[in-house]
CSV table of all heavy atoms in Angstrom, one decimal:
chain,number,residue,atom,x,y,z
A,61,THR,N,101.9,97.7,105.2
A,61,THR,CA,103.3,97.3,105.6
A,61,THR,C,103.3,97.0,107.1
A,61,THR,O,103.9,96.0,107.5
A,61,THR,CB,104.2,98.5,105.3
A,61,THR,OG1,104.3,98.7,103.9
A,61,THR,CG2,105.7,98.1,105.8
A,62,ARG,N,102.6,97.8,107.9
A,62,ARG,CA,102.6,97.5,109.3
A,62,ARG,C,101.9,96.1,109.7
A,62,ARG,O,102.3,95.4,110.5
A,62,ARG,CB,101.9,98.6,110.1
A,62,ARG,CG,102.8,99.8,110.2
A,62,ARG,CD,102.4,100.9,111.2
A,62,ARG,NE,101.0,100.9,111.6
A,62,ARG,CZ,100.2,101.9,111.4
A,62,ARG,NH1,100.7,103.1,110.9
A,62,ARG,NH2,99.0,101.9,111.8
A,63,CYS,N,100.8,95.8,108.9
A,63,CYS,CA,100.2,94.5,109.1
A,63,CYS,C,101.0,93.4,108.7
A,63,CYS,O,101.0,92.3,109.3
A,63,CYS,CB,98.8,94.5,108.4
A,63,CYS,SG,97.5,95.5,109.2
A,64,VAL,N,101.8,93.6,107.6
A,64,VAL,CA,102.7,92.5,107.1
A,64,VAL,C,103.8,92.3,108.2
A,64,VAL,O,104.1,91.1,108.5
A,64,VAL,CB,103.2,92.8,105.8
A,64,VAL,CG1,104.4,91.8,105.4
A,64,VAL,CG2,102.1,92.8,104.7
A,65,GLU,N,104.3,93.4,108.7
A,65,GLU,CA,105.4,93.2,109.7
A,65,GLU,C,104.8,92.6,111.0
A,65,GLU,O,105.4,91.7,111.6
A,65,GLU,CB,105.9,94.6,110.1
A,65,GLU,CG,106.8,95.2,109.0
A,65,GLU,CD,107.2,96.6,109.2
A,65,GLU,OE1,106.7,97.3,110.2
A,65,GLU,OE2,108.0,97.1,108.4
A,66,ALA,N,103.6,92.9,111.4
A,66,ALA,CA,103.0,92.3,112.6
A,66,ALA,C,102.7,90.9,112.4
A,66,ALA,O,102.9,90.0,113.2
A,66,ALA,CB,101.7,93.1,112.9
A,67,ALA,N,102.3,90.5,111.1
A,67,ALA,CA,102.0,89.1,110.8
A,67,ALA,C,103.3,88.3,110.8
A,67,ALA,O,103.3,87.2,111.3
A,67,ALA,CB,101.3,89.1,109.4
A,68,HIS,N,104.4,88.9,110.3
A,68,HIS,CA,105.7,88.3,110.3
A,68,HIS,C,106.1,87.9,111.7
A,68,HIS,O,106.4,86.8,112.1
A,68,HIS,CB,106.7,89.2,109.7
A,68,HIS,CG,108.1,88.8,109.9
A,68,HIS,ND1,108.8,87.8,109.2
A,68,HIS,CD2,109.0,89.3,110.8
A,68,HIS,CE1,110.0,87.7,109.7
A,68,HIS,NE2,110.2,88.6,110.7
A,69,TYR,N,106.1,88.9,112.6
A,69,TYR,CA,106.5,88.6,114.0
A,69,TYR,C,105.6,87.7,114.8
A,69,TYR,O,106.0,86.9,115.5
A,69,TYR,CB,106.7,90.0,114.8
A,69,TYR,CG,107.9,90.7,114.2
A,69,TYR,CD1,107.7,92.0,113.6
A,69,TYR,CD2,109.2,90.2,114.4
A,69,TYR,CE1,108.8,92.6,113.1
A,69,TYR,CE2,110.2,90.9,113.9
A,69,TYR,CZ,110.1,92.1,113.2
A,69,TYR,OH,111.1,92.8,112.7
A,70,GLY,N,104.3,87.9,114.5
A,70,GLY,CA,103.3,87.0,115.1
A,70,GLY,C,103.5,85.5,114.7
A,70,GLY,O,103.5,84.6,115.5
A,71,ALA,N,103.7,85.3,113.4
A,71,ALA,CA,104.0,84.0,112.9
A,71,ALA,C,105.2,83.4,113.6
A,71,ALA,O,105.2,82.2,114.0
A,71,ALA,CB,104.1,84.0,111.4
A,72,LEU,N,106.3,84.1,113.6
A,72,LEU,CA,107.5,83.7,114.2
A,72,LEU,C,107.3,83.3,115.7
A,72,LEU,O,107.8,82.3,116.1
A,72,LEU,CB,108.6,84.8,114.1
A,72,LEU,CG,109.3,84.9,112.8
A,72,LEU,CD1,110.3,86.1,112.9
A,72,LEU,CD2,110.0,83.6,112.4
A,73,GLU,N,106.6,84.1,116.4
A,73,GLU,CA,106.4,83.9,117.8
A,73,GLU,C,105.5,82.6,118.1
A,73,GLU,O,105.8,81.9,119.0
A,73,GLU,CB,105.7,85.1,118.4
A,73,GLU,CG,105.6,85.1,119.9
A,73,GLU,CD,105.1,86.4,120.5
A,73,GLU,OE1,105.6,87.4,120.2
A,73,GLU,OE2,104.0,86.3,121.2
A,74,VAL,N,104.5,82.4,117.2
A,74,VAL,CA,103.6,81.3,117.5
A,74,VAL,C,104.1,80.0,116.9
A,74,VAL,O,104.0,79.0,117.5
A,74,VAL,CB,102.2,81.7,116.9
A,74,VAL,CG1,101.3,80.5,117.0
A,74,VAL,CG2,101.6,82.9,117.7
A,75,THR,N,104.6,80.1,115.7
A,75,THR,CA,104.9,78.8,115.0
A,75,THR,C,106.4,78.6,114.8
A,75,THR,O,106.8,77.5,114.5
A,75,THR,CB,104.3,78.8,113.6
A,75,THR,OG1,104.9,79.8,112.7
A,75,THR,CG2,102.8,79.0,113.6
A,76,GLY,N,107.2,79.6,115.0
A,76,GLY,CA,108.7,79.5,114.9
A,76,GLY,C,109.2,79.7,113.4
A,76,GLY,O,110.3,79.7,113.2
A,77,TYR,N,108.3,80.0,112.5
A,77,TYR,CA,108.7,80.3,111.1
A,77,TYR,C,107.7,81.3,110.5
A,77,TYR,O,106.6,81.5,111.1
A,77,TYR,CB,108.7,79.0,110.3
A,77,TYR,CG,107.4,78.4,110.0
A,77,TYR,CD1,106.7,78.6,108.8
A,77,TYR,CD2,106.8,77.5,110.9
A,77,TYR,CE1,105.5,78.1,108.5
A,77,TYR,CE2,105.6,77.0,110.6
A,77,TYR,CZ,104.9,77.3,109.4
A,77,TYR,OH,103.7,76.7,109.2
A,78,ALA,N,108.0,81.9,109.5
A,78,ALA,CA,107.2,82.9,108.9
A,78,ALA,C,107.3,82.8,107.4
A,78,ALA,O,107.8,83.7,106.7
A,78,ALA,CB,107.6,84.3,109.3
A,79,HIS,N,106.7,81.7,106.8
A,79,HIS,CA,106.7,81.6,105.3
A,79,HIS,C,105.8,82.7,104.7
A,79,HIS,O,104.8,83.0,105.3
A,79,HIS,CB,106.1,80.2,105.0
A,79,HIS,CG,106.2,79.8,103.6
A,79,HIS,ND1,105.3,80.2,102.6
A,79,HIS,CD2,107.2,79.2,102.9
A,79,HIS,CE1,105.7,79.8,101.5
A,79,HIS,NE2,106.8,79.2,101.6
A,80,PRO,N,106.2,83.2,103.6
A,80,PRO,CA,105.4,84.3,103.0
A,80,PRO,C,103.9,84.0,102.9
A,80,PRO,O,103.1,84.9,103.1
A,80,PRO,CB,106.1,84.5,101.7
A,80,PRO,CG,107.5,84.1,101.9
A,80,PRO,CD,107.4,83.0,102.8
A,81,SER,N,103.5,82.8,102.5
A,81,SER,CA,102.1,82.5,102.4
A,81,SER,C,101.4,82.6,103.7
A,81,SER,O,100.2,83.1,103.8
A,81,SER,CB,101.9,81.2,101.7
A,81,SER,OG,102.3,80.1,102.6
A,82,LEU,N,102.0,82.2,104.8
A,82,LEU,CA,101.4,82.3,106.1
A,82,LEU,C,101.3,83.8,106.5
A,82,LEU,O,100.3,84.3,107.0
A,82,LEU,CB,102.2,81.6,107.2
A,82,LEU,CG,101.8,81.7,108.6
A,82,LEU,CD1,100.4,81.1,108.8
A,82,LEU,CD2,102.8,80.9,109.6
A,83,VAL,N,102.4,84.5,106.3
A,83,VAL,CA,102.4,86.0,106.6
A,83,VAL,C,101.3,86.7,105.8
A,83,VAL,O,100.5,87.5,106.3
A,83,VAL,CB,103.7,86.6,106.3
A,83,VAL,CG1,103.7,88.1,106.4
A,83,VAL,CG2,104.8,86.0,107.3
A,84,GLU,N,101.1,86.3,104.6
A,84,GLU,CA,100.1,86.9,103.7
A,84,GLU,C,98.6,86.6,104.3
A,84,GLU,O,97.8,87.6,104.4
A,84,GLU,CB,100.2,86.4,102.3
A,84,GLU,CG,99.1,87.0,101.4
A,84,GLU,CD,99.3,86.6,99.9
A,84,GLU,OE1,100.3,86.0,99.6
A,84,GLU,OE2,98.3,86.9,99.2
A,85,ARG,N,98.4,85.4,104.7
A,85,ARG,CA,97.1,85.1,105.2
A,85,ARG,C,96.8,85.8,106.5
A,85,ARG,O,95.7,86.3,106.7
A,85,ARG,CB,97.0,83.5,105.5
A,85,ARG,CG,96.9,82.8,104.2
A,85,ARG,CD,96.5,81.3,104.4
A,85,ARG,NE,97.2,80.6,105.5
A,85,ARG,CZ,98.2,79.8,105.4
A,85,ARG,NH1,98.7,79.6,104.2
A,85,ARG,NH2,98.7,79.3,106.5
A,86,ILE,N,97.8,85.9,107.4
A,86,ILE,CA,97.6,86.6,108.7
A,86,ILE,C,97.4,88.1,108.4
A,86,ILE,O,96.5,88.7,109.0
A,86,ILE,CB,98.8,86.4,109.6
A,86,ILE,CG1,98.9,84.9,110.0
A,86,ILE,CG2,98.7,87.3,110.8
A,86,ILE,CD1,100.2,84.5,110.7
Side-chain angles (χ1 to χ4, degrees):
T61 299
R62 287 195 336 239
C63 284
V64 169
E65 289 171 355
H68 164 81
Y69 291 113
L72 282 176
E73 189 172 305
V74 173
T75 67
Y77 69 97
H79 190 274
S81 65
L82 177 61
V83 171
E84 181 176 348
R85 288 193 317 259
I86 295 168

